[in-house]
Amino acid sequence: MSSELRELAESVFVDAYDRDAVGLDTDLWKTCEQTGLARMTLPESAGGSEGTLADAAALLEAAGAHAARVPLAETDLLGGWLAHAAGLDVPDGPLVAVAADLDVAADGTVSGTLPRVPWGRAVSTVVVLTGARVVVLSPSALTVHEGTNVAEEPRDTLVASGATPLAAGDAPDGAAEELALRAALGRSLLLAGAARGALARSIGYAGERVQFGRPIAKFQAVQQQLAEAGSEVAAAAAASAAAARTASDRGFADDATTFAIAAAKSRCGASATAVARIAHQVHGAIGFTREHDLRLTTTRLWAWRDEDGNDSYWNGVVGTRALNAGPDGLWPLVTGTP
């Protein structure tokens, strides 16, 4: 299933690729909705495709590789999941979910600020986890202060002032922890894809760029750099895929899933730094220009590395778990075997 899905996703994202465009790709989003890619893991009753987390992993990795301008992780893994888990109807269109401490009035209206909401201006609905409640808000009821990350993806601040939710319900147990883990997992998979995309562009450029009468790919120093980048891409792919597999097998409440996702986000963050550096070294000055599409992957690597928990945060989670495991528990912790 995942191999067929990967082929479909690669085809869809390649066809939609536009290196000069920014913001939500509405045509690509419609295609994702029509092909069932937009709500991959949600149940059919919630408008989903009932796919697995392995399917979602294949989809998001491909989206990252081709810099797809659609909120797939935000809609499927976060917004759709949270609304469905709270017993609410899953809204149509692109979604996003965030955790925030909103003021809830006696009449049910909410007030507060939602900082740096991914795709905030473009989504149809914002699903907010506030305390033990889940509220569904329309962006039209919010004041939108537009912002972007370094990759020019929308990261908007949304302000609610007495906004009336479209729907509200009780949050499931452990919602805050699972929402954070789902966000980190989705970001890890996108990072792994973006790293693959940057490496592919670097290999292609090294074969085209001629210096001293031969392609620079013939020089041993460049080959060594590309080999190092290849190892980083493989490590990121393995760690993020293992995290998705662990979450699928054990659920997000299992401590092994927390460790696997922490390790994946940490590993993908380290790979992002290394791959972006090598890609720009191989490309030289042209890789830093707006005219060259290398920026579409490397700026995403830099931005996503710091989103949904940066390297320092997830390294701390991994280190704490390792210390708590002690000498006898370290090997089972690392291998995932009792």
Side-chain angles (χ1 to χ4, degrees):
M1 174 63 180
S2 290
S3 62
E4 297 173 358
L5 175 64
R6 185 182 296 277
E7 291 179 7
L8 171 63
E10 294 275 350
S11 173
V12 167
F13 296 144
V14 167
D15 289 345
Y17 182 73
D18 182 349
R19 70 178 187 179
D20 297 319
V22 296
L24 178 68
D25 187 336
T26 55
D27 289 336
L28 176 57
W29 180 257
K30 290 178 183 176
T31 301
C32 291
E33 290 269 28
Q34 292 167 354
T35 54
L37 300 178
R39 294 155 195 265
M40 178 57 61
T41 63
L42 292 175
E44 185 176 358
S45 61
S49 301
E50 298 195 340
T52 65
L53 282 174
D55 296 328
L59 173 65
L60 293 176
E61 199 271 348
H66 299 286
R69 295 179 289 109
V70 284
L72 289 170
E74 289 83 355
T75 297
D76 182 38
L77 294 185
L78 305 181
W81 165 76
L82 184 57
H84 182 66
L88 306 175
D89 292 336
V90 177
D92 295 331
L95 312 174
V96 67
V98 295
D101 186 16
L102 297 180
D103 294 326
V104 182
D107 62 358
T109 59
V110 297
S111 300
T113 301
L114 310 175
R116 296 188 64 77
V117 177
W119 305 94
R121 81 196 68 165
V123 296
S124 67
T125 312
V126 182
V127 185
V128 183
L129 174 65
T130 179
R133 297 285 287 172
V134 174
V135 296
V136 179
L137 299 172
S138 168
S140 64
L142 308 173
T143 301
V144 179
H145 299 281
E146 295 188 356
T148 63
N149 62 16
V150 72
E152 299 182 289
E153 293 181 309
R155 295 294 185 265
D156 304 323
T157 295
L158 309 181
V159 180
S161 180
T164 301
L166 299 173
D170 293 331
D173 293 339
E177 294 78 7
E178 181 163 346
L179 183 65
L181 289 174
R182 283 174 168 268
L185 174 61
R187 199 62 65 193
S188 298
L189 293 163
L190 289 167
L191 276 166
R196 175 166 69 88
L199 175 61
R201 285 169 172 79
S202 300
I203 292 173
Y205 182 77
E208 298 167 357
R209 178 76 168 94
V210 175
Q211 190 73 25
F212 305 115
R214 55 179 177 165
I216 61 173
K218 297 292 185 182
F219 293 94
Q220 187 176 23
V222 175
Q223 293 172 352
Q224 191 275 332
Q225 289 283 75
L226 292 174
E228 180 183 344
S231 68
E232 293 287 347
V233 170
S240 57
R245 187 167 56 250
T246 303
S248 179
D249 293 344
R250 303 195 180 196
F252 284 90
D254 195 294
D255 197 56
T257 300
T258 299
F259 181 75
I261 291 176
K265 187 62 168 64
S266 175
R267 179 62 258 178
C268 289
S271 294
T273 300
V275 172
R277 170 179 55 79
I278 292 170
H280 280 288
Q281 287 175 339
V282 170
H283 279 77
I286 195 171
F288 287 93
T289 65
R290 189 170 186 80
E291 288 72 20
H292 201 285
D293 66 356
L294 177 64
R295 64 182 170 81
L296 297 178
T297 52
T298 55
T299 55
R300 280 169 170 77
L301 288 173
W302 291 323
W304 293 345
R305 178 185 58 188
D306 294 332
E307 293 181 343
D308 300 307
N310 59 19
D311 290 0
S312 177
Y313 174 79
W314 289 111
N315 288 344
V317 174
V318 172
T320 299
R321 291 251 182 327
L323 289 173
N324 291 341
D328 295 334
L330 184 58
W331 180 251
L333 178 69
V334 172
T335 60
T337 56

